[in-house]
Amino acid sequence: MIRRKSLPALLVTAMIALSVLACGFPLPAGTTTMAVTKAVCAQGEPAASCQVRQDAYQLMSQLQSAAVEDLNMTLHIDDGTSVTSMVLTGYYEYAVTGQEGGLGANIHATLVSAEITDESGTESLSGVELIIVDNKAYTKKPGEGWVYEELDENALLGLGVILGLSGPTGSGLDLFSDPATFTVSAAEADAIAGQAMQAQTLTVNWSALLANAEALNSLMSAGFGAGGEALGMTQEDLGMDPAQLAMLSAMLLPMFQGTSFATTIYIGADDGYIHRVEDNYVLLMDTSALGALAGEEEPQRVEMRYELSGNIVRHNQPVIITAPEGATEGSGLLDESGGLLGGLGG
């Protein structure tokens, strides 16, 4: 996403990668067990609150199918030299596969509205329909026929960011895995489909995370293993291992003022499933706060904002997703060089 050789910029790249891989809807992928099924309690959290969340993630990990309605996603990345933004609404069906390939599930999605803006202008993909089977993407623009293409790991991760799906790659990540680095609070919740909801907002304590070398090392090590290279970042780029970087991270805290990661989940009071997710991630970096330590001729400023929300419905209801007949081979709509995923990746 961001190409820089300095330590601060590489760190922000790592944090962007971690945040987008670890967020999204808690849907199982392939045969991978979601890290959040081992949900931990935040320091000082009431036992009842923690138990409700643990039970909900356990239920979600056993799903074989579901649908996401009222999908809303906004992504804005300003790396100081270029700006990329995406805004979309839509809905999709989701059927888990027994394979680790692709996103670990077959998907049938419709983009009700979708716009991508970068330095080349704005492109609309409103009304596009797409089907993902294994690592093949079948897309259909309004009034046109089906076109298919194979997606590499980078494109699959980018698609996952857009739809809020971590897939097998990100399922092993959990931003809320250390009791000392996040908080849980009760949130207001309206009923969904006639069922009362118990809502919880989980917020990363950014200062505590950067100051906790052990927790940050564990998270970043998992991030490298979960596809850092596909997001344009390798451990070699850092010039040090995650443990060494974690020891320095507290020194870099001043440049991340304004950064916040929060997720709100809505748990059914009757069935215990998670029925809605709202992610709100803001990552701000300004190296001017570090002066000479940043090693930059000019201060760098980076901004990433990611908002995702949607209702999870039809838990474990039958879903059949197959490749459309008569599709012709093509490219461009979902590949790295353009279209829906052109603004993502290394």
Side-chain angles (χ1 to χ4, degrees), residues 122-251:
T122 299
E123 179 180 5
S124 174
L125 292 173
S126 298
V128 165
E129 189 176 358
L130 62 98
I131 294 174
I132 308 298
V133 177
D134 298 328
N135 67 337
K136 283 189 177 181
Y138 301 82
T139 55
K140 183 179 182 296
K141 293 183 178 180
E144 300 183 9
W146 287 98
V147 176
Y148 75 88
E149 58 193 307
E150 291 192 11
L151 301 181
D152 61 14
E153 183 182 8
N154 193 0
L156 286 165
L157 289 175
L159 183 61
V161 170
I162 292 166
L163 297 179
L165 300 172
S166 60
T169 300
S171 61
L173 291 172
D174 182 9
L175 287 175
F176 307 102
S177 59
D178 189 295
T181 61
F182 75 100
T183 59
V184 179
S185 60
E188 294 185 4
D190 294 329
I192 296 178
Q195 182 178 183
M197 294 289 128
Q198 301 180 57
Q200 300 181 358
T201 296
L202 288 72
T203 304
V204 173
N205 185 328
W206 188 247
S207 299
L209 178 60
L210 288 183
N212 188 325
E214 182 178 352
L216 188 60
N217 175 42
S218 176
L219 187 61
M220 293 193 69
S221 296
F224 283 119
E229 293 184 16
L231 289 172
M233 172 190 66
T234 65
Q235 185 167 319
E236 288 71 25
D237 289 331
L238 292 172
M240 61 184 71
D241 62 33
Q244 292 172 311
L245 178 59
M247 294 298 292
L248 294 174
S249 61
M251 298 174 58

Side-chain angles (χ1 to χ4, degrees), residues 161-330:
V161 170
I162 292 166
L163 297 179
L165 300 172
S166 60
T169 300
S171 61
L173 291 172
D174 182 9
L175 287 175
F176 307 102
S177 59
D178 189 295
T181 61
F182 75 100
T183 59
V184 179
S185 60
E188 294 185 4
D190 294 329
I192 296 178
Q195 182 178 183
M197 294 289 128
Q198 301 180 57
Q200 300 181 358
T201 296
L202 288 72
T203 304
V204 173
N205 185 328
W206 188 247
S207 299
L209 178 60
L210 288 183
N212 188 325
E214 182 178 352
L216 188 60
N217 175 42
S218 176
L219 187 61
M220 293 193 69
S221 296
F224 283 119
E229 293 184 16
L231 289 172
M233 172 190 66
T234 65
Q235 185 167 319
E236 288 71 25
D237 289 331
L238 292 172
M240 61 184 71
D241 62 33
Q244 292 172 311
L245 178 59
M247 294 298 292
L248 294 174
S249 61
M251 298 174 58
L252 303 177
L253 180 61
M255 74 178 185
F256 289 110
Q257 295 301 313
T259 291
S260 61
F261 292 169
T263 292
T264 301
I265 58 174
Y266 294 76
I267 302 169
D270 297 330
D271 62 17
Y273 283 117
I274 295 176
H275 287 261
R276 181 172 175 81
V277 173
E278 298 171 354
D279 287 333
N280 192 334
Y281 291 178
V282 177
L283 197 152
L284 303 175
M285 182 193 79
D286 185 351
T287 63
S288 63
L290 301 181
L293 180 61
E296 299 290 332
E297 295 181 1
E298 296 182 0
Q300 288 179 249
R301 293 178 176 84
V302 176
E303 176 183 355
M304 187 278 284
R305 297 180 183 272
Y306 179 75
E307 296 181 3
L308 175 79
S309 65
N311 291 346
I312 304 173
V313 299
R314 304 203 297 275
H315 300 72
N316 265 340
Q317 296 300 306
V319 172
I320 298 176
I321 300 172
T322 58
E325 296 182 359
T328 59
E329 187 173 3

